[in-house]
Structures are given as structure tokens and as C-alpha cells.
Amino acid sequence: MIYTAIFKSSSIIADYSDEMGDFPHMMKKIFSANKQPIDFYVIPYLSYDYYFLHHDVYTFSAITESNQDNEIILLFLQKLKQNYLQLSIKEKDNLLIKTVTLMRKLMKEYKDKLGENKIKKVENKLEAIMKAKRNQLEATLEKDALINKVREKSDALMTNVT
């Protein structure tokens, strides 16, 4: 996750990013040019994906690298929406500061979870490779045993013939 923002109508009311860039400007342009009548959608542009989740007058958005898991991004945006709506009801003072803090916390959780998922994917891939190699080894040992039986029969036939 590179950037996240909350729109109210077509204005950004809160945003957060760990990285440097002109993300608010790009997000506004993509949002304005591609408004959809559906609740959740993704707009791929250049090497990024722009995600949008609509709720009443609010739109919760994020920018990620291309080809991320849409379900995980949707869960992130839903969590942001739920927490923001609860926060906006409770807090009238310092809402912006608390919203940005919330966004930072959720992005950190997302990145931590993404890191764990990458490790699990690598472990699963290694396990699959090890299983395939074990199966190949077992098949080779079975073929070797069959060849040994054939060789023994051949030697027995040679002995019987002589």
C-alpha cells in the first residue's frame, strides 16, 4: 500500500502515505475521471492500481503496486470505512489528526500482513517443491526396484539356460 485517502464528495478530507509523491493530485484526477456507480472498483493506471470504496458521501481509496490481492485491499478499505465512521461520530475535535493516525495504523497492519503472506507463500511453494521432489524420488526408487527384479530374472534365466 502506497497511499490512502478519504474523499467527501470530491474533496480529500484526510490522506496518508509513507512515501514521497504527488499522490493526492493523481488520486483526485483518477477519481474524477473514473467515477463508477458501484461500491468497489479498481482502476489500473501506469504501474499502480487505484482502489475506491463508496459509502454515502464518502469514498475510501488506496493506491497500491499493480496486481495486489483485491480481497485484501477491499478488507483494508472496509476496515478504514468502519473505523472512520465510528470515529467521526465520537470525535468532533481533532478528527483529522485521529483519522490520519488511524490510516497510518491500518497501513502498517496491512504491510505487516502482506509480509506474513509473502513468507507463507514462499513456505507453501517450498513445501510443494519438496513434495514433488519426494514423489519423483519415490518413483525413481520404484523403477530402480523393478529394474533390479528384471535383472534378477534375466540372470536367473541366463543361469538356467547355461
Side-chain angles (χ1 to χ4, degrees):
M1 179 99 36
I2 297 170
Y3 174 78
T4 187
I6 301 173
F7 286 85
K8 185 173 184 180
S9 298
S10 59
S11 299
I12 294 177
I13 59 171
D15 65 338
Y16 179 78
S17 179
D18 288 335
E19 301 180 22
M20 296 296 291
D22 195 15
F23 301 120
H25 179 71
M26 284 304 297
M27 184 63 87
K28 277 185 177 181
K29 283 176 97 172
I30 299 291
F31 179 63
S32 297
N34 296 287
K35 283 188 180 178
Q36 302 287 324
I38 54 179
D39 288 342
F40 177 70
Y41 57 95
V42 181
I43 306 293
Y45 182 70
L46 298 176
S47 60
Y48 300 110
D49 287 339
Y50 294 77
Y51 292 84
F52 300 96
L53 176 66
H54 296 295
H55 178 77
D56 292 333
V57 296
Y58 297 106
T59 301
F60 302 87
S61 60
I63 301 175
T64 67
E65 299 289 336
S66 293
N67 302 319
Q68 296 294 315
D69 187 350
N70 291 347
E71 283 184 33
I72 293 173
I73 306 299
L74 175 59
L75 290 172
F76 168 83
L77 291 174
Q78 286 175 332
K79 195 171 188 180
L80 176 61
K81 175 186 83 171
Q82 180 182 7
N83 289 339
Y84 175 75
L85 293 175
Q86 289 174 356
L87 193 62
S88 66
I89 291 169
K90 292 178 187 174
E91 294 292 331
K92 298 298 177 196
D93 297 331
N94 300 322
L95 180 61
L96 178 62
I97 293 169
K98 291 186 178 188
T99 301
V100 171
T101 303
L102 169 68
M103 294 168 117
R104 191 181 92 220
K105 180 183 137 213
L106 291 176
M107 279 182 70
K108 183 179 180 338
E109 287 175 10
Y110 167 81
K111 288 179 180 181
D112 290 346
K113 186 182 285 188
L114 187 65
E116 289 173 13
N117 286 343
K118 285 182 181 179
I119 290 171
K120 285 180 184 177
K121 284 180 184 177
V122 169
E123 287 175 347
N124 290 342
K125 194 165 194 165
L126 282 173
E127 191 173 310
I129 291 169
M130 288 172 46
K131 186 176 180 179
K133 295 298 179 187
R134 242 184 256 117
N135 289 341
Q136 287 176 345
L137 181 61
E138 288 173 1
T140 302
L141 290 174
E142 286 177 13
K143 287 180 183 178
D144 190 43
L146 289 173
I147 289 171
N148 284 340
K149 283 184 183 179
V150 169
R151 189 173 294 143
E152 287 174 8
K153 285 183 182 179
S154 175
D155 289 344
L157 263 170
M158 290 287 282
T159 306
N160 287 343
V161 169
T162 53

